[in-house]
Amino acid sequence: MATKAFQKIYTKITAITKATCSLKADGIGNDELATIDGKLAQVVKIMGNDITLQVFEGTEGIPTNAEVIFLGKTPSLKVSDQLAGRFFNAFGSPIDGGPEVEGVEVEIGGPSVNPVRRKQPSELIATGIAGIDLNNTLVSGQKIPFFADPNQPYNQVMANVALRAEADKIILGGMGLTNDDYLYFKNVFNNAGVLDRIVSFVNTTENPPVERLLIPDMALTAAEYFAVEKNEKVLVLLTDMTLYADALAIVSNRMDQIPSKDSMPGSLYSDLAKIYEKAVQFPEGGSITIIAVTTLSGGDITHAIPDNTGYITEGQLYLRYDSDIGKVIVDPFRSLSRLKQLVAGKKTREDHPQVMNAAVRLYADAANAKTKLENGFDLTDYDERSLAFAKDYSDKILAIDVNINTTQMLDIAWELFAKHFKPEEVNIRQSLVEKYWKQTSYE
Amino acid sequence: MTTKGTVKGIIANLVTVAVDGPVAQNEICYISLDGTRLMAEVIKVTGDNVFVQVFESTRGLKVGNLVEFTGHMLEVTLGPGLLSRNYDGLQNDLDKLTGVFLKRGEYNFPLDEEKLWAFKPLAKVGDKVQAASWLGEVDENHQSHKIMVPFVMQGEYTIKSIVAAGEYKIKDTIAVITDEEGNDHNINMIQKWPVKKAITAYTEKPRPFKLLETGVRIIDTLNPIVEGGTGFIPGAFGTGKTVLQHAISKQAEADIVIMAACGERANEVVEIFMEFPKLEDPHTGRKLMERTIIIANTSNMPVASREASVYTAMTIAEYYRSMGLRVLLMADSTSRWAQALREMSNRMEELPGQDAFPMDLSAIIGTFYSRAGYVYLNNGSTGSITFIGTVSPAGGNLKEPVTEGTKKAARCFYALEQSRADRKRYPAVNPIESYSKYIEYPEFEDYINTKVEGNWIKKVNEMKTLLQRGKEVQEQINILGDDGVPVNYHETFWKSEVIDFVILQQDAFDKVDAVCPLERQEFMLNLVMDICKHDYDFDNFLNVMDYFKKIINICKQMNYSEFHSEQFEKYLKELKTVLAEKQIKTEK
Ligand SMILES: Nc1ncnc2c1ncn2[C@@H]1O[C@H](COP(=O)(O)OP(=O)(O)OP(=O)(O)O)[C@@H](O)[C@H]1O
Ligand SMILES: [Mg+2]
């Protein structure tokens, strides 16, 4: 990087740890960027003229006489329409061999939207996946993660959702992506012929983990450009946020902060909230919707990362392998879209809310019956029927390979009710039962 | 002369300042940065080094930036015109801020200085007055907003002059009062108060005893909260804390509702912005927004002002309580406030307590909850602050410092249960673990027996016993199998299911079911208890389930119908017929 007149250069580092370098310097701003031996670093602590910087790539090989150049700015991204169709690294530099983007340079991790300037999300995002659209309807301006075990096909589901969602722009923030997954996304977007609607910021497993910390803010800064300046509907995909949080923990440990639960920094909630709260519906029509992935370790959702995420996001989608039908399903028990009531029954058919709740209740009855069965008890006729219902429901509604519209989903649900139950067993408002109960009734 | 200082060190929003004069703990100061001024609060002093927490991002801050101290603690401005406003945690009026994004260093005056208020004097020349005495009133959204002697004024004063009824602005002098030394003080309609100090201008704080009707059956019937009471709602994410709090805030019989969105989602606040101006207060028929104040410090707003936000909300609540009003204060979530304390304490390298929270967390929570309460004011009228906070326990485990600290402080415990939420049994309040201590107060029992009906508490306790029995029996059925137990075990279990489905569960999103007035709660409780007290004629357990499912279904239809509507009566009749089929005539 060429040095410029205003840049301050130092060559005497006083302390080096795994992630940080310290030196004496004057007139340095908090959060300011610098390069140390060509590696990007950011000011994290100032005490008099003692400056501590976090080195994103790690400090391996940095000598005490390394050249430290302060850049007089905080991390930033040049935004313009030229971002579309491009692939960048965590620093916003192209990795697709294309030219640098020209545009307005904006600081990443910028300010929050004034809550009174937000609009209430109200536009349904149809994915065709009934486990999502029927039970956990997504709304533009929402933020929601997939909670998934590392071996589940979350990136595939997310790519499907992204392609069907009819977004103006899809922004991929990849953190610790395997090279294979990176190429997978690239291929899928390419094959769908939508590359011009996609912007990607990618940190792969081959890049230093701490660099990941910049990815969400880079992706969201690009998203804000399209949503605010162009009033576009932007969908941001962040995968995998667990690897992001791990990087936060690495940094805070190296800075000797007192860890709280699961060795995570005490500020994890605020750190994650700053990212997810960038999801917004603007009054002018633009919106940012965030769909993320949080991988679980051993299915443990009480771990600090999924736990804090759950408290921030507007619901979560669980993927689970259902051995009865041999497919991955969207688990109706722990999955939840908090915003679904804004559209369910309003943008969809009136019976949507009651049908979705009734179906899940009946599915729960089947789970009870299953427990009975496992404990070696006889099943009642109702138990048998609920088990049969559950299997149908899993296959026709919950499986991630389902691709139909919500009216079809509702019709299928009524069909399954009628096939397996009596009207009084489904606990749905009488007027709806009268209107939608299928004639092919059980009995 | 005010104290000045310069920045010496920066770690995130903790800034060390070298000062040239005296500073006070919790004093507010402003740090200059490129033409803006960032507000900060003193949180520790060692020698000439003062540690301040900045209420904003410190990006770009440098050593040597100038700091100016104000000589006062974090204060709120109190006066007519607070109602219907949306403030941030530092009482900035969010609607007055320009631009889509929040700019740091932008602060504003929280009230309207130009608005004319129709003032009516309530006191006259020569009256002896003291802090919080009512001098006059203005009409604020159809409620009497008292103009009081400022809370900071100590001792006794005599009214020297007071303006006649008429229209005045908040900064106009409406009275002159003279202290014991003969000095005159001009009083206008606004006053300031430091948020971290409780306003204690009342004579007595007796045990609260009046039911605060919320329209939520599992609260009013089972675990009632009272005017001036305290309660908390712990629950893992997604178990329904916010929905329950919103329901209470819409329906509760309160004069003023203050909602502190403390470190939670912005979209949830937007929901209030959207709904409250349209929805009606079920008790007065006026728009909900007219009685509501929102303090929005959402999770993406600065952490330090999140900590301040609950105090800002509580102080405004105390102000309205001093007017003799019933205030309902809600904070969602107090865990975020505790986390803000933790972040700061860690940065200060204080000795950490459990889960790295500050050692004195429990005391801080206790002090805060104790600011709620039912009080007798100096003039004999009463006022109350009912406080309900949510708690977001890490990992959903209630054995963590915030839940445990709050349990010591709050008198009602509404524990949300993951498995109930998973099975969509909303509100997911665990009927066995939850409690209201007020139910044990004899003064509450007296009150409720006249307000609802005699023997009410006894009836409610009977119902709780049936729920408990139902749970025990269910466990046995699970162990021994459906036909491994006598048929009447199934009957017991299904009776508890009737209570669960008809009384406990309530659909917050159904127009009719969402609000259940006390009269209707009484009717339904009697109906359900009547069902439960009878014996039934079953020869095998399969019939038990089918039969009670039918009953549950009819009762649910009743819950979805307007009370005593034609439809409601139709279902009631149907229910009676179905009951007659199997009920054995003798009542237990
Ligand atoms: N009484 C109710 N009736 C119907 N649905 C409910 C009810 N309570 C909660 N829900 C459902 O549960 C979802 C989550 O509720 P809520 O947002 O109140 O959870 P929370 O406990 O506040 O979670 P968090 O800690 O993450 O903020 C709602 O979006 C709604 O779908
Ligand atoms: Mg909530």
Side-chain angles (χ1 to χ4, degrees), chain B residues 10 13 36-37 97 104 122 161 164 214 262 349 409 443 480 487 499 516 566:
Chain B
I10 308 148
N13 74 328
T36 59
R37 292 163 80 233
L97 298 174
R104 69 177 167 174
L122 292 173
S161 68
T214 66
C262 172
E349 296 174 2
E443 53 270 54
L480 302 170
V487 173
I499 299 174
C516 189
E566 207 175 298

Side-chain angles (χ1 to χ4, degrees), chain A residues 30 46 48 107-108 111-112 114 117 269-270 277 307 311-314 338 341 372 377 382 428-430, chain B residues 8-10 58-61 94 97 100 102 238 263 265 267 300 336 343 393 395 478-479 482 510 549:
Chain A
N30 193 27
I46 303 176
E107 287 187 351
I108 66 166
S112 325
N114 182 344
R117 303 279 175 263
Y269 177 84
S270 305
E277 279 294 324
D307 186 49
Y311 278 118
I312 293 162
T313 52
E314 285 148 343
R338 305 283 184 94
Q341 56 262 23
K372 268 197 201 170
F377 296 127
Y382 180 81
I428 292 180
R429 188 195 282 273
Q430 194 60 40
Chain B
K8 278 181 70 180
I10 308 148
T58 54
R59 185 181 273 185
L61 198 63
L94 289 168
L97 298 174
V100 172
L102 296 167
R265 306 171 184 84
N267 274 342
N300 53 343
R336 306 300 162 223
E343 282 185 34
N478 285 345
I479 297 169
D482 281 331
D510 182 85
K549 281 205 165 161

